[in-house]
Each structure stands twice: as structure tokens, then as C-alpha cells.
Amino acid sequence: MTKIVSAAVAAARIPDNCVVTVSSSSSLGCPDLVLKAIGERFVSEGHPRNLTTLHPIAAGDMYGVKGIDHIAKDGLLSRVLAGSYPSGPSSLPMPEIWRMIVENRVAAYNVPSGVMFDMHREAAARRPGVLTSVGMDTFADPIRQGCAMNDKGAEAPIVSRVEFGGQTWLHFPNIYPDVCILRATTADEWGNLTYEHEGAYLGGLEQAIATRNNRGLVIAQVKRVTASGSLRPHDVRVPGHLVDLVVIDPDQMQTCETPYDPAISGQVMRPWNSFRLAEHGVEKVIARRAAMELKGGMTANLGFGISAQVPRILLEEGHPRAVTWVIEQGAVGGMPLTDFAFGCAANADAYMPSPQQFIYFQGSGFDMSFLSFMEVDVEGNVNVSKLGKKPYLTAGCGGFVDITSNARKIVFSGWFEAGAQVALTDKGISIERPGKFTKMVERVEHVTFSGRRAREIGQDVLYVTERCVMRLTDQGLLATEIMPGIDPQVSIVDASQGRVRLAPDAVTMPLSLLGTGKMGWQP
């Protein structure tokens, strides 16, 4: 009996009232054709109804791959747990899933991505749920929001605090998936899956095992089919005994706005001089100062935003391989990509499955992490996961909480003020016009990173901005380095309304950070 079916036939096998887990990372690995078929079936038949969906990383984007928006319909979707959600600029329409969340039409939760992979592993093995310190004292903790994104979510908690072994932990009870939808490149007629054109393995194997162990249905979307037995066993990432149905989509995108780039899947190596360098400007200056924390031979994690430019700084300095970069989608080494290809890397040394990458992150195996911030408060708390006025401008927490919960050192990068007019001059940075508001706030809207817990466990935390470098101390934010040209009292202390203090021994950063030539970084 063939496993190859149409997307419509696969969608017809999904029952009402079930839990569906989807492997994806925005448009990277997104099984969009199957999700589209589910939405179309609901419109025509009114089924499946009342689904709970699990998305360790976002399904779809705002630039042509709808993903979760295919199923964001009243009656079809009743509950959603996701590490991240489609996000983009305010100039684009709000995704329908975000509209459902803010209008309280679906019970919605933002769960750290690594914890979501842990939940699949624990459910698969019939262990008693996830017991973790990841997310303590953040929005994931029930002392705050407990991952709930709206009132419907808060009405049905998914996490609690428990005491075990003399310590306090967060406990996420098991959620057992009935259906798994994943994506690969090639399937043979037996359903064995290989990923040779994919930019990441993500967590499809763990999600398929959790579903199979719950006697559920596993649907794989692929680009092509080959004869049974023709795949190299070492290349098979999801074996056929875990796969029930195979749907072919020859037009599936490799990632956002990229039909296929062999460098993303590691099939070719790009010349190092083919990568675009960071554009000269204030954000490059911030990235340069962040890069000064690095030493040759380190392994560093990388996030979105200004921090994503740090590898380009080392590239410009002539040392593209001095540091091993690790990103949550699974790439190890090489050059992490930016913009629409964020989450992928070219010239990678290896591709780890995301669940194993998150084990490495949660246990703080790397030397430091470079991340960005939207706002920072007087306790050193960071918000990257919620913007109440325009929620879809942020994707949620993604792997941010898993990465930062136990990291030894974290370098946050961002703007001190929003909307300030800043110029680079021969003498340093000049604030031509103050911003609309400071990002150094009294209390962040959402605690994605806990400054209080960071102090308790002894994390080394820096905040790099266009005006200064701040360190997290027991007394709050302390500016220890000042950008050339900046008046510390006016542009830091007064601009933050006194929330940032100036260190008595604060030093001025080198002018070489601002120049158009190399700054002189050495491994």
C-alpha cells in the first residue's frame, strides 16, 4: 500500500479534537501545503474542529508562506502552544493568528522553544512531564504569566511551580500529540526521509516519535519521491516506520523568499568574500563593541537583530572562522545568515537537530550569547517577547529563554532610545535629536530575561548601546564604558531618567569602533 497521497487526502485523515504538532521554523522546513489543505478542508466541510497545535518554532512567515495562518480559523483552532509566531513590520497586515490571540478567540501560549522540544521527548517516553529551571522568574513562570498570551490561555494553565529534591522547578505536564506534520526533502516509497536540501533538521524526528508512541498519525511533506531502498541509511533522518503518509510539493521553499540555495543546506561552500559585510553605521558600531568580548576558539550563540551582525564584524577583520557560531535551528559553525535567511547558516561545519542543540543551550555549554533587546528595566530585566501595542512586531520568545536561563555570559545589544537621530562624526557619536522614549524603562512589559535571577546565579551580563556599555550589578544598570562624543550626564543618566548610573571609573571606548576601516580585532 502506497504512502504517497495528496495534501487533501492527508488533511482528511485528521480527526476533530486532536493535538497536532508541526515541525517548522518560520518558512524554513514549513509543511505549508499540508497546512493549507487543512484550512481548505475546514472551509468546505467544517472539519477538523477544535484542534490544539504545537509549534516549537514558528510555522510560516509574513512574506508569502502562510503556515499557521492557513488554520487560524474560529472553530478549527481552539488552542495553540508555540515557541514563536510569524512576525514582521507594522507596514504589513497583522497575521490572522495574532488577530485571534489579541481578540481572545483562541487559548494561546508562548512556550520557550527548547522546553517545547523537551515536552515532546517526555511525552514520547511516558515520563511525568518536563521539570526544568528554564524560564524561572520570566513570563514563563506562573508567578508571572505562566506562558499565557491572553485571558483564554490564563484560564487553563499549562505550567506550575513544584518542589523536588529540595529545589523549586517549573513543571510542564505532558501533552500527547495525535498528529505530526513535518517536512523533508526526499522520501522513498517506504517513507524514509532525507533532508539534503533543507537548511536544518529542526525537531521532526522527536515530534514523529512522540506521535507514533501515542498511536498517532505522521504526515511528511517532501519535495520529491525516490524508489524504495535507494536512500543511504546514514542519510535517513526520519525512518519510514514512523511515517504514515507522504505528500509531495515540488515547489516548497527552502526558506523565506529562497527557493533553493545549496550553501544553506551545506552542499556547496561559499567563498568568504561573497558575504555582505555589515553596513557602516551606528548598528555596526554597536556590533563591533559586542564583538570585542570574543576571543579566538570560543563558541557563541547568536540571536536576531543587531547581534546578528557580529559574525560579519569578524569576517571584515579577516577572521571568519575564529569563533564557532551555534544557532537554535541547528547549524554549527560557518556564517549565520541575516534578513530573510535568518536561522540558516552557510559554510556550516555541522547541522544538529534542534532538540539536541537546545540541550546544549540549556546546559550552558557555549561561552557566551549575543542577543538583542527591545527594552531593559532597572532590575536588568529584558523584554524581547511582547509589544502590547503592536504584538506581531515580535515573534515571541523563541529560544531566547532556553539560551539565557543558564548562560555564563550574555551580551545584549540595542538602542538606548527609540527614534533618536544619531550621527557618526570624526570625534564620536553625536545625538542630533533625542528619541521619542528611552528603552531603559522602570519596568519591562514582559520579562523574557530575569535580571534578578541572573544576579542570583552569577551570570555576567552586558548591555551594549550606541551611547554606552552597561553592566548588571546588584544596584542595577551601571554604565562602565562611554561612546566617544557622548555626554554621560545628559545622554545617559538624564535620558534614562536616572535609571542608569554612571560608574566613577567609566572609560571612553576607542575611536576605532567608529572608523570605516578595520577596528583591529585579533583572535
Side-chain angles (χ1 to χ4, degrees):
M1 180 178 177
T2 183
K3 294 184 176 184
I4 302 169
V5 298
S6 68
V9 169
R13 292 279 302 275
I14 299 174
D16 294 348
N17 306 308
C18 71
V19 176
V20 180
T21 182
V22 181
S23 178
S24 181
S25 176
S26 296
S27 53
L28 174 65
C30 184
D32 200 58
L33 186 65
V34 176
L35 294 173
K36 179 182 179 184
I38 297 170
E40 289 174 342
R41 179 191 170 206
F42 179 78
V43 171
S44 62
E45 300 177 13
H47 299 283
R49 300 187 62 82
N50 195 36
L51 299 186
T52 291
T53 59
L54 310 177
H55 308 268
I57 315 179
D61 56 44
M62 292 176 61
Y63 305 93
V65 178
K66 289 185 66 174
I68 193 174
D69 258 24
H70 287 302
I71 59 174
K73 303 178 188 297
D74 294 318
L76 193 168
L77 190 61
S78 65
R79 185 172 68 149
V80 57
L81 290 77
S84 51
Y85 291 81
S87 63
S90 58
S91 58
L92 293 177
M94 181 186 295
E96 186 55 35
I97 184 60
W98 276 109
R99 199 173 302 279
M100 290 186 75
I101 292 169
V102 299
E103 294 175 1
N104 206 38
R105 290 154 47 204
V106 62
Y109 307 85
N110 186 199
V111 183
S113 291
V115 171
M116 290 209 68
F117 285 123
D118 293 339
M119 291 169 71
H120 284 81
R121 198 161 41 242
E122 299 306 291
R126 305 285 174 176
R127 292 187 287 259
V130 176
L131 206 62
T132 183
S133 63
V134 170
M136 294 288 288
D137 200 39
T138 74
F139 77 93
D141 193 322
I143 66 170
R144 298 188 189 272
Q145 291 81 20
C147 297
M149 298 177 71
N150 56 15
D151 290 342
K152 274 197 171 184
E155 290 168 3
I158 62 166
V159 57
S160 62
R161 277 193 165 214
V162 299
E163 300 297 320
F164 180 78
Q167 296 185 58
T168 303
W169 305 87
L170 299 186
H171 178 238
F172 292 82
N174 286 334
I175 299 176
Y176 295 98
D178 304 295
V179 177
C180 170
I181 306 172
L182 56 86
R183 199 187 92 178
T185 300
T186 305
D188 70 7
E189 295 167 299
W190 293 333
N192 295 302
L193 305 179
T194 58
Y195 282 65
E196 63 271 18
H197 287 181
E198 306 301 317
Y201 299 130
L202 303 177
L205 176 60
E206 282 75 5
Q207 290 167 274
I209 292 173
T211 304
R212 170 61 71 241
N213 287 8
N214 194 40
R215 307 297 183 265
L217 175 74
V218 177
I219 302 168
Q221 178 183 305
V222 297
K223 196 174 186 178
R224 58 198 183 187
V225 171
T226 189
S228 57
S230 62
L231 298 173
R232 290 181 67 249
H234 276 290
D235 294 337
V236 173
R237 307 300 302 190
V238 180
H241 73 287
L242 299 177
V243 178
D244 298 292
L245 304 175
V246 175
V247 174
I248 304 171
D249 179 10
D251 300 319
Q252 65 187 22
M253 301 284 285
Q254 188 183 42
T255 186
C256 186
E257 301 199 349
T258 306
Y260 173 58
D261 177 352
I264 286 177
S265 50
Q267 294 179 302
V268 301
M269 300 287 282
R270 285 176 54 178
W272 290 107
N273 62 9
S274 69
F275 294 100
R276 188 176 73 248
L277 299 178
E279 182 179 350
H280 188 67
V282 175
E283 292 194 350
K284 181 176 181 178
V285 172
I286 296 172
R288 277 178 161 177
R289 174 56 191 87
M292 289 174 63
E293 296 300 310
L294 288 165
K295 295 179 181 178
M298 283 185 168
T299 298
N301 165 261
L302 198 67
F304 191 64
I306 295 174
S307 295
Q309 298 296 333
V310 175
R312 308 299 170 116
I313 302 301
L314 269 58
L315 174 65
E316 184 176 8
E317 297 295 311
H319 304 287
R321 299 188 67 84
V323 169
T324 298
W325 303 103
V326 285
I327 53 181
E328 64 190 64
Q329 286 77 6
V332 177
M335 178 58 62
L337 301 179
T338 56
D339 300 327
F340 289 130
F342 182 78
C344 301
N347 299 0
D349 298 321
Y351 296 93
M352 291 276 286
S354 287
Q356 278 68 55
Q357 191 81 300
F358 274 111
I359 292 172
Y360 175 65
F361 290 165
Q362 291 174 352
S364 67
F366 53 95
D367 293 293
M368 70 177 69
S369 183
F370 292 89
L371 299 165
S372 300
F373 66 80
M374 288 196 307
E375 57 180 1
V376 181
D377 71 17
V378 293
E379 291 190 348
N381 298 321
V382 172
N383 175 24
V384 300
S385 50
K386 184 178 180 181
L387 193 60
K389 294 180 180 178
K390 294 183 178 178
Y392 65 100
L393 297 188
T394 171
C397 70
F400 187 100
V401 178
D402 303 279
I403 292 162
T404 58
S405 284
N406 293 303
R408 287 171 280 177
K409 182 170 183 174
I410 308 167
V411 181
F412 293 111
S413 296
W415 287 82
F416 197 91
E417 285 187 332
Q421 186 173 323
V422 179
L424 297 182
T425 72
D426 293 339
K427 296 182 179 180
I429 287 183
S430 172
I431 308 299
E432 306 290 308
R433 185 178 65 200
K436 298 177 182 177
F437 53 87
T438 179
K439 292 192 172 187
M440 306 299 123
V441 299
E442 188 66 26
R443 189 181 300 275
V444 294
E445 184 174 358
H446 218 219
V447 178
T448 331
F449 169 77
S450 169
R452 178 172 57 191
R453 185 171 181 274
R455 293 192 298 273
E456 289 174 356
I457 65 175
Q459 290 176 302
D460 184 4
V461 185
L462 277 70
Y463 310 82
V464 182
T465 75
E466 81 283 6
R467 304 185 184 192
C468 61
V469 173
M470 296 165 284
R471 291 187 176 272
L472 180 59
T473 71
D474 290 338
Q475 290 74 44
L477 301 176
L478 185 68
T480 57
E481 301 176 41
I482 313 302
M483 279 287 182
I486 292 295
D487 182 323
Q489 183 63 43
V490 173
S491 297
I492 297 174
V493 178
D494 294 347
S496 69
Q497 300 176 27
R499 297 175 186 127
V500 178
R501 296 179 301 109
L502 185 64
D505 57 350
V507 298
T508 301
M509 286 179 257
L511 267 173
S512 58
L513 292 175
L514 282 66
T516 55
K518 296 181 181 181
M519 69 171 182
W521 186 89
Q522 293 293 327

